[in-house]
Amino acid sequence: MTSIRSIKGTQDILPDQSHRWQALEAAIRNTMGRYGYEEIRTPAFERTELFARGVGEETDIVSKEMYSWTDQGGEDLTLKPELTAPVARAYIQHNMGGQSPTNKLYYIDALFRRERPQKGRYRQFHQFGVEAFGSEHPEIDAEVIALAMAVFNGVGLSGLSLKLNSIGSPQCRGDYRDALRDFLTPHLNNLSETSQNRFEKNPLRMLDTKAPHEIEILKDAPNISDCWTQDDKDHFDEVCSLLDAMGISYDLAPNLVRGLDYYTRTTFEITSTALGAQDAICGGGRYDGLVETLGGKSTPGIGFAAGMERILLAMGDDTSTGHEPHIYIVGLGDTVRPTVLQLAESLRQNGLAVAFDVLRRSMKAQMREANKAGAKYAIIMGDQELESGQAEVKDLSTGDQQKVALDDLSSHMNSLSF
Ligand code: AMP
């Protein structure tokens, strides 16, 4: 019979990798705690309409990449392809804004998008991110960006680059759309079909083009900053000066825009030179119109989402398994078995990580296993040791060996440094 394999674009996270995930998750939770962000967990699937409204029908995510189905009760459902819309939905549904003027939330979650799989791009992948609701002021923009950088720096990522822009208020974007159309009209015949469609529907998205001749044309295009209102400019200037005050460097990226109407003002992206073609680690921005779009009371908000597979790729591999036992008990013969298990249990209850052989192997094989597992000490116990009331304790890094009375073994092991 042929064996069943996993779906293309999904990954099993095996024990040789899961410890790296745990370390990353622990670093994220630790940083979130220090910045005062609390965890929110939302369901794996939602009504399809949430994403159509909350992400936008014209986005690639909604138009091409969602895993959607109609269930037995006739409801249109979708596996979540992003987290901002579900978190905003929960925020509205539970009246979180009514209970507190600001809500600083974070998540660590699995997402689903039917993209073309390649290194750093999967169909089930993981993001952590934050959504901060309730303040329109630049200090929260600066805090959210500082928080993203703190997580990445905290796990030792190098080659990071922060790109920053403001897409202004909805009025500014309306003006910019017109300016961009005016600029591009004489070039229309030279544009790809995709860009021509975007020209009609959403000209801001044309700035995302990867076609070299279009990038060339767009070099002379007006910048969105030309259309900022005075308030937009003041807001952006203050975000920049707060980042300067915190010593966070950034590059201005006039082409970094988001096409959807509920996005406002600050947008940012963080990339890493440690990655290949898929070098974006994190994207974020302000979305002052989103909560209202989803039927809530108008509430400002800002957030980001960061791809965890990419962070782990950028972190590189380490050799430790993260699960090395402190102690390996080498048990020889049938009579010692209860003593081995009782000792392991007592040491584990005292907080030590203990392993022992369950294949009834030879002394040599068990010692090999103890070394392979990376244990710091081996306790050797056979019939002889049991009879003499003493076990051998071997320091596996130095090779030093000493006899310890069975009665003292537990307290002796607890007194060692690991
Ligand atoms: P987005 O939600 O599209 O703004 O993406 C935010 C971050 O999630 C990106 O910067 C990537 O790090 C990561 N990401 C997005 N799509 C994928 C994917 N298909 N596979 C792995 N990571 C992804």
Side-chain angles (χ1 to χ4, degrees), residues 113 115 120-122 125 127 258 280-283 305-307 310:
R113 292 183 196 170
E115 295 197 78
R121 195 201 275 157
Y122 311 98
F125 62 100
Q127 287 184 341
R258 300 195 163 212
I281 287 193
C282 168
R310 293 201 194 160

Side-chain angles (χ1 to χ4, degrees), residues 56-130:
E57 307 259 19
E58 315 147 26
T59 58
D60 285 350
I61 294 181
V62 174
S63 63
K64 299 194 254 194
E65 296 169 358
M66 293 204 300
Y67 283 99
S68 302
W69 73 102
T70 308
D71 82 353
Q72 292 83 342
E75 292 211 74
D76 290 328
L77 304 173
T78 293
L79 288 178
K80 56 183 158 188
E82 64 95 56
L83 261 297
T84 303
V87 171
R89 191 235 354 106
Y91 170 86
I92 298 164
Q93 183 173 336
H94 303 286
N95 187 27
M96 295 174 77
Q99 286 155 39
S100 169
T102 59
N103 282 269
K104 303 203 298 185
L105 307 169
Y106 85 90
Y107 58 79
I108 299 179
D109 212 340
L111 310 188
F112 308 86
R113 292 183 196 170
R114 199 173 190 291
E115 295 197 78
R116 198 166 47 78
Q118 64 184 86
K119 191 170 183 191
R121 195 201 275 157
Y122 311 98
R123 291 181 169 175
Q124 173 172 345
F125 62 100
H126 299 77
Q127 287 184 341
F128 80 90
V130 308

Side-chain angles (χ1 to χ4, degrees), residues 172-241:
C172 154
R173 270 200 318 288
D175 294 348
Y176 184 56
R177 225 168 284 165
D178 295 342
L180 209 51
R181 278 204 185 104
D182 287 347
F183 170 81
L184 285 166
T185 302
H187 300 282
L188 256 187
N189 289 336
N190 294 327
L191 301 181
S192 65
E193 207 183 308
T194 316
S195 288
Q196 291 188 2
N197 277 333
R198 289 176 174 171
F199 180 87
E200 293 300 329
K201 286 194 192 146
N202 194 344
L204 268 67
R205 286 205 57 210
M206 296 172 74
L207 300 177
D208 294 336
T209 181
K210 300 277 182 288
H213 78 282
E214 294 185 354
I215 294 174
E216 196 54 40
I217 293 172
L218 284 164
K219 271 194 183 142
D220 297 323
N223 282 335
I224 199 158
S225 54
D226 302 335
C227 302
W228 287 346
T229 62
Q230 188 58 43
D231 283 351
D232 293 335
K233 183 174 180 332
D234 292 347
H235 193 277
F236 188 66
D237 286 348
E238 196 171 352
V239 173
C240 292
S241 61

